[in-house]
Amino acid sequence: MRIATWNVNSVRTRAERIGAFLTRGDIDVLCMQETKCADDKFPYSVFNALGYDVAHVGYNQWNGVAIASRVGLENVRHEFERQPAFAKTGEPVREARAVGAVCGGVDVWSLYVPNGREIGDPHYDYKLEFLWRLADVVQPSAHQALCGDFNIAPRDTNVWDVSFFEGRTHVTEPERAAFQMLLETGLSQVKHEEPYSFWDYKSARFQRNQGMLIDFLLATAPLADGFERAWVDVEERSGKGASDHAPVIAQFDTHTLDIDAVR
């Protein structure tokens, strides 16, 4: 099974490009983030025509997450238990940042972790709370994958110049500790040779290879036992109309899965 995660930065803008990627990459399950549309505006027809079922959570033009699967889509969940809500002022609302489904015997989550904005901003605390509560989702004995844009660079080598990020989010000790806490619940990060998955549109970051690794596939031990290889499709970050993220893809041998055990 090939599982990919990709912050597509507007699914309606890039629907045809995403469809071409699915075909070219022979992808079984695609987790998408920042779809930036409400459920009724999602381009389902593009995916259905290629043989994919879609679970999408989107309330407006912000955030948005989806799972497209050609190996089944069962037990769809539009949020995780105790998922936090946020509002800088007024009544907090639960944002479109998590969707889960069982795909071909694997419990898959597509996640868009809050950015954090600035250290000390309420959004930073919201980010940490989101990660702490996400830990309750992990089922170490199940075949499970948590995929998405985590908005954290866990190690100094995951950014092009750590000194550039001094005093900024994504590299702070509390964020990294929260990411490590997730791993300690029973997850491992799939490994690939490519150092980055995100290059900002500003300052020609992609052309200068000034990137960050903030997009991850995290697998429980039973799924990781079948891990074969992983890579970042850097070419998808190039050319006209590209997202500022590239897809991260992992291949697993799932032929021995007990599908009924995860339904």
Side-chain angles (χ1 to χ4, degrees), residues 120-190:
D121 189 286
H123 209 258
Y124 181 82
D125 294 334
Y126 169 48
K127 178 179 190 175
L128 296 178
E129 184 182 8
F130 187 96
L131 291 161
W132 294 333
R133 293 190 180 182
L134 180 61
D136 293 336
V137 171
V138 181
Q139 302 174 53
S141 62
H143 294 83
Q144 189 178 52
L146 272 61
C147 313
D149 177 356
F150 284 79
N151 271 313
I152 297 172
R155 292 168 287 280
D156 288 354
T157 54
N158 297 147
V159 295
W160 59 273
D161 180 2
V162 71
S163 65
F164 175 84
F165 293 90
E166 185 175 352
R168 306 184 188 200
T169 60
H170 290 56
V171 300
T172 66
E173 192 57 38
E175 291 168 290
R176 289 179 168 181
F179 188 87
Q180 180 61 32
M181 172 205 62
L182 272 181
L183 297 182
E184 291 175 359
T185 62
L187 297 169
S188 60
Q189 174 190 334
V190 301

Side-chain angles (χ1 to χ4, degrees), residues 39-52:
D39 287 341
D40 62 348
K41 301 295 184 182
F42 190 93
Y44 295 99
S45 61
V46 173
F47 295 86
N48 296 158
L50 294 172
Y52 291 83

Side-chain angles (χ1 to χ4, degrees), residues 5 31 33 109-112 146-150 214-217:
T5 184
C31 295
Q33 302 84 42
W109 282 88
S110 179
L111 303 159
Y112 180 42
L146 272 61
C147 313
D149 177 356
F150 284 79
I214 56 177
D215 303 276
F216 299 99
L217 282 89

